[in-house]
């Protein structure tokens, strides 16, 4: 497969089946179904039973359970069948674990609500018109407008450039903003790739525009981005 940074903007747009005016709403919906949302994969959430068992790992509850066991054993050995103390201790442990699960669930719900409210947005050309969308709605082929202060929402090929500078320290470690360009890059002899930091006609998720303006066509979203590949490698490790 040909690398997008070795192609001209026109070739990239042609391969993605899109024009400079961006995708239509119908095309975007089809690609959304195919590629999924533009976000990094989240770890699987524990089930209610797993959360409940995790609550029982608390040292204080373990001590109470041991106390209940000792109390039950003492009652049996002494010939008394009164289990009131055991029942009370177990009830306290059970109630504490249930309340812990409820509080944890409420906290997670509040965090998810805040994430939804503060979700990143981007400027996208849809049906030839400039539209503000949540970044997770982006799909390959979308044409996004980049201006100073914007976060790059996904990996893309620069197709319009007006003194565009992007800070990519999160990916490359390079603290100095990179001057972007439109021209296709050539491969060095014997090489089949260009180092990430040298792909000056590309923009990547996790970087920030610090100067100028431009447009980019999205070439990869979600876990297929360079940031997604790093996240996948970390999760595998």
């Amino acid at each position: 497969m040909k690398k997008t940074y070795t192609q001209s903007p026109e070739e990239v747009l042609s391969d993605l089946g899109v024009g400079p005016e961006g995708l239509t709403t119908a095309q975007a919906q089809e690609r959304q179904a195919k590629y999924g949302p533009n976000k990094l994969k989240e770890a699987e959430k524990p089930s209610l039973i797993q959360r409940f068992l995790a609550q029982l790992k608390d040292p204080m509850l373990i001590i109470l359970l041991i106390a209940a066991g000792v109390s039950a054993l003492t009652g049996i050995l002494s010939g008394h069948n009164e289990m009131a103390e055991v029942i009370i201790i177990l009830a306290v442990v059970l109630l504490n674990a249930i309340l812990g699960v409820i509080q944890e669930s409420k906290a997670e719900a509040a965090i998810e609500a805040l994430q939804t409210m503060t979700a990143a947005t981007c400027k996208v050309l849809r049906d030839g018109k400039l539209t503000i969308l949540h970044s997770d709605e982006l799909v390959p082929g979308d044409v996004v407008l980049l201006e100073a202060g914007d976060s790059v929402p996904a990996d893309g090929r620069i197709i319009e450039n007006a003194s565009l500078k992007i800070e990519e320290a999160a990916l490359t470690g390079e603290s100095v903003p990179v001057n972007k360009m439109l021209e296709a890059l050539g491969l060095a002899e014997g090489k089949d790739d260009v180092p990430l930091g040298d792909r000056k006609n590309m923009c990547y998720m996790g970087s920030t525009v610090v100067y100028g303006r431009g447009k980019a066509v999205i070439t990869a979203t979600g876990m297929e981005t360079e940031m997604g590949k790093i996240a996948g490698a970390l999760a595998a490790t």
Side-chain angles (χ1 to χ4, degrees), residues 85-220:
E85 289 183 4
V86 177
I87 293 172
I88 291 173
I89 293 174
L90 291 178
V92 169
V93 170
L94 183 64
L95 182 61
N96 187 83
I98 291 173
L99 289 175
V101 171
I102 292 173
Q103 289 177 333
E104 187 177 301
S105 298
K106 286 183 176 180
E108 284 190 359
I111 291 172
E112 288 177 358
L114 285 172
Q115 288 176 335
T116 301
M117 291 170 62
T118 59
T121 58
C122 54
K123 296 178 279 292
V124 187
L125 288 176
R126 287 275 176 92
D127 299 312
K129 299 177 181 178
L130 186 62
T131 308
I132 306 296
L133 295 178
H134 287 298
S135 295
D136 59 8
E137 296 179 50
L138 283 180
V139 295
D142 266 325
V143 175
V144 298
L145 177 65
L146 300 174
E147 296 177 322
D150 290 345
S151 293
V152 179
D155 292 1
R157 171 68 161 90
I158 305 295
I159 60 172
E160 187 177 300
N161 179 22
S163 303
L164 192 62
K165 293 184 181 181
I166 298 181
E167 189 268 310
E168 299 177 341
L171 278 173
T172 65
E174 177 57 67
S175 60
V176 178
V178 178
N179 289 299
K180 292 301 176 178
M181 55 187 280
L182 290 179
E183 294 76 15
L185 300 176
L187 296 175
E189 187 175 349
K191 301 288 185 180
D192 61 355
D193 203 355
V194 175
L196 188 64
D198 294 334
R199 300 174 192 171
K200 296 186 178 181
N201 55 13
M202 300 288 292
C203 58
Y204 294 100
M205 175 190 280
S207 55
T208 306
V209 180
V210 296
Y211 188 82
R213 61 180 297 278
K215 289 180 183 176
V217 58
I218 300 303
T219 56

Side-chain angles (χ1 to χ4, degrees), residues 40 223 227-237:
L40 301 184
M223 294 302 289
M227 189 65 76
K229 292 174 184 176
I230 293 173
L234 289 174
T237 301

Side-chain angles (χ1 to χ4, degrees), residues 11-19 21-24 27 31 140-141 217:
E11 289 175 320
V12 176
L13 289 169
S14 177
D15 285 351
L16 290 169
V18 62
E21 71 283 352
L23 296 172
T24 65
Q27 286 177 316
R31 298 189 186 198
V217 58

